[in-house]
Amino acid sequence: MAMSAWKRAGVCLTAAVVVAGVAGCQDGDGGGKKKAGGSADSQVQTQNQMTEVLQAAFKKTSEAKSSKVRMTMTMPAAMDGGGTMELSGVQGWDPGVMDVTMKGSALTAGDPDAPEQIRMIMLDDAMYMDMGAKQAAEMDGKRWMKMDFGAIAEESGDPALQKQLTGGMENMNQDPAQQLALLLESPNLKHVGPEKVDGVQTQHYKGTLSFEEMLDANKGTKSLLSAKERQELVDSVEKAGMKGYDTQVWVNEDNYPVKMVVGMKFTQGTMNMTAHYSDYGAAADVQAPPASETFDFMEMLKELEGLGEDSEAGL
């Protein structure tokens, strides 16, 4: 496989990890923390009012199970795959699936042969990337690369990462309902005020959590990870340079989020993800590509490693 294709695969995997929420562990019950509220004027809601609005939005969004999505990700230049990436398509969160088209500087930077856009499909704990006609010609007509999160986790040898990656897309998918649940757990939840987004009136909310607070908010993680594994995961995230996690949401009058902004703070800078949601309940009939047109990333990697060992043995 050409180096440019490897680069595109790495960029797409970075996007998948962010979208799938591997670093963002969310609570799935939408419970939230209720705090005593003070006085409120016409622009600022009390804490209880905020909780009620976001709980109602969580309930409606969870029941919708899918929507159309338009997303922009901006990664610091110092990070692998740094640049801007745009995704548009359909996303489902019961079950967790996604079928989107990706484009942007993160895919094409320094690669004159890179396609202008790549289709990415996610379902059943796996990601499929359409690597293009040129790649298919080099791979016996197989243009789709499959990345099995379970296989990647097993190969890593990291128990905590394995449990994170194999926990199921339903638990990891960074869908709007889960983001609302996460926002409800923020100890500094704020109502910014009314704003117009995409031509509709909304209410703007924001909050911040540390990675440890995210773990504490996630009941699923508590049951999956031992105290030692939890600490190993926290240590690995700190080593990666992740410092905080900011979430903003704009909720319309029908109690659906129409926009979300998620910021992950790293030592290299902030990775921002801005998503616009519409057509809640839109069909998310996502299908895996034909097996005859698909090659497995991990199997190919092992074959390449085997060829390298054979070459060294022959010296």
Side-chain angles (χ1 to χ4, degrees), residues 4 7 105-114:
S4 59
K7 177 182 179 292
S105 63
L107 284 175
T108 59
D111 183 5
D113 296 326

Side-chain angles (χ1 to χ4, degrees), residues 215 221-222 224-235:
L215 288 181
T221 302
K222 291 178 182 178
L224 284 172
L225 299 178
S226 66
K228 180 181 178 181
E229 290 169 337
R230 179 189 182 281
Q231 189 58 50
E232 288 175 349
L233 181 58
V234 171
D235 291 343

Side-chain angles (χ1 to χ4, degrees), residues 110-131:
D111 183 5
D113 296 326
E116 292 185 358
Q117 59 185 34
I118 290 178
R119 185 179 173 194
M120 182 177 77
I121 293 173
M122 295 178 67
L123 75 163
D124 297 332
D125 296 329
M127 176 179 70
Y128 300 85
M129 294 175 294
D130 185 350
M131 305 301 288

Side-chain angles (χ1 to χ4, degrees), residues 167-238:
M169 290 292 288
E170 290 80 5
N171 294 326
M172 295 189 298
N173 195 19
Q174 207 169 65
D175 63 74
Q178 296 285 17
Q179 286 301 316
L180 286 166
L182 178 60
L183 183 59
L184 278 161
E185 294 295 336
S186 173
N188 55 8
L189 177 62
K190 295 179 182 178
H191 175 231
V192 180
E195 292 180 23
K196 261 198 171 181
V197 176
D198 295 337
V200 300
Q201 189 63 45
T202 71
Q203 296 294 331
H204 180 188
Y205 303 88
K206 67 177 182 179
T208 301
L209 286 174
S210 68
F211 184 74
E212 289 192 73
E213 287 171 334
M214 286 189 286
L215 288 181
D216 291 339
N218 185 0
K219 295 178 181 178
T221 302
K222 291 178 182 178
S223 63
L224 284 172
L225 299 178
S226 66
K228 180 181 178 181
E229 290 169 337
R230 179 189 182 281
Q231 189 58 50
E232 288 175 349
L233 181 58
V234 171
D235 291 343
S236 68
V237 169
E238 289 180 350

